[in-house]
Amino acid sequence: DALTYHRRHAMNSNAMNGAAALRRACPQLRLVTDAAVLESHGRDWTRFRQPSPAAVAFPDSVREVQELVAAAAAHRIPLVPSGGRTGLSGGAVAAFGEVVVSFDRMRRIVAFNPLDRTVTVEAGVVTAAVQALAREKGLYYPVSFAAEGSSQVGGNVATNAGGIRVLRYGLTREWVAGLKVVTGRGELLVCNRGLVKNASGYDLRHLLIGSEGTLGLIVEATLRLTDPPLPSKVMLLGIASLDALMEVFAAVRGDLALTAFEFLTDRALHHVRQGQGLPAPLATPCPLYVLAEFDCAAQSEEDRALACFERCAEQGWLLDGVISQNDRQVAELWRYREGISESISHFPPYKNDLSVTVSRVPEFLRRMDALLQEICPEFEVVWYGHIGDGNLHMNILKPPSLELQAFEARSHEISSRTYALTRELGGSISAEHGIGLLKRPWLDQVRSAAEIELMRGIKRVFDPAGIFNPGKLLPEM
Ligand code: MLT
Ligand code: ZN
């Protein structure tokens, strides 16, 4: 509408002058305006908005971030924080002339403390590098997901990243022992300092985790590490029906020490096999598949898994299955789950990242399927996800014949129905990908007016000039 257009336009010309102002205020700052960099760093993995930043800043130190933010606040320059750009809600998209703040040059490991079992890293350190460092030290960083080879710690914290082992280890939030954050005034906030116990008032760390770049720029994180996991095995199971899926979950969770319980549909299997060139994992085609990973340090644990498998098969819940025999097979079986997202990315999909309590998963899936049949039978929908956490990824694929914009408009119509159902079942419209740019119009489906008003108030305190990731997370006033 006209008002929005006017605001954006005003922001744009501000940012253009602002890029020049930033250059003057921070002459040492690396500020890039090459078309290729604007394109690569102005977007995440979403494809619904064209990147159009005014510039991309590459600060090299906390001090440079503080100077940059102070200058941006003085000149009202909107800033979009950017990590590994693997986000799926458009949280790191700069489509309106903002200045992107990339942490690509802040990749230092600041400290490792074996007694505290923590590692302190700059925001641009890649998730997989934290995992590797932990391994090197005989420890373990358990947050894990398909994008871990490029996603960065700052982005993980800003989105409270989840992934495949939340069932055992929880979300990123559980592993953040301390944060350094630059607030909208350019101040450096030091949160919690690695402490295990700290009962000294509001824990601002937890406000910043999951704040999607709207409250401050995370420049450093102290992450907790833990004992290395026990040896594990993976079963890929062919499931007979939706009801059987939850029966199998209950049985497997009762008998085994699960680290992951993931599901995919036959459509998801079809796409991942095509995309990754994988053979059929089982001889029997099944409507649903489960990938279950569990501790298996001794033969007795494998025997227990096989007995559980037999019992589920006798009940008619399982149609087929396979169990890994070595670490290579563990990795191979994981590809059937972890490769799905990439295999459908070219359509592109309209991603729905929904959650309900685990006990409501069958009702949710059944009712959502019926709703989709009613309102959009023309679209292919691919389901997979972290079913052990009640987190279901519902991907609506764009048919090649439909223009991207028309597909998005149609998907929005669908969202108003699917999100209403999610709300009715007490769920969330974002389990782990965040609200970002794309789900922003629907935040009020799952958060009350009072909550949103408090969020706005918090935003004003942290970011009085309104420069951090404008147009993300909080609905337009
Ligand atoms: C996943 O679980 O694979 C990730 O959340 C990415 C996706 O949903 O596509
Ligand atoms: Zn996921």
Side-chain angles (χ1 to χ4, degrees), residues 88 337 341 351 384 386 393 432-433:
L88 293 164
R337 169 63 186 87
S341 189
K351 299 192 88 74
Y384 53 90
H386 320 284
H393 295 311
E432 58 177 7
H433 297 168

Side-chain angles (χ1 to χ4, degrees), residues 230-233 294-305:
L230 293 171
S232 61
K233 282 193 180 272
F294 56 100
D295 294 342
C296 193
Q299 184 59 42
S300 59
E301 279 157 327
E302 182 164 352
D303 294 345
R304 204 160 50 235

Side-chain angles (χ1 to χ4, degrees), residues 39-47 49-51 85 92-94:
E39 166 83 22
S40 64
H41 284 66
R43 63 163 26 142
D44 55 16
W45 273 1
T46 56
R47 288 294 174 267
R49 297 287 177 283
Q50 267 307 109
R85 306 188 304 282
V93 172

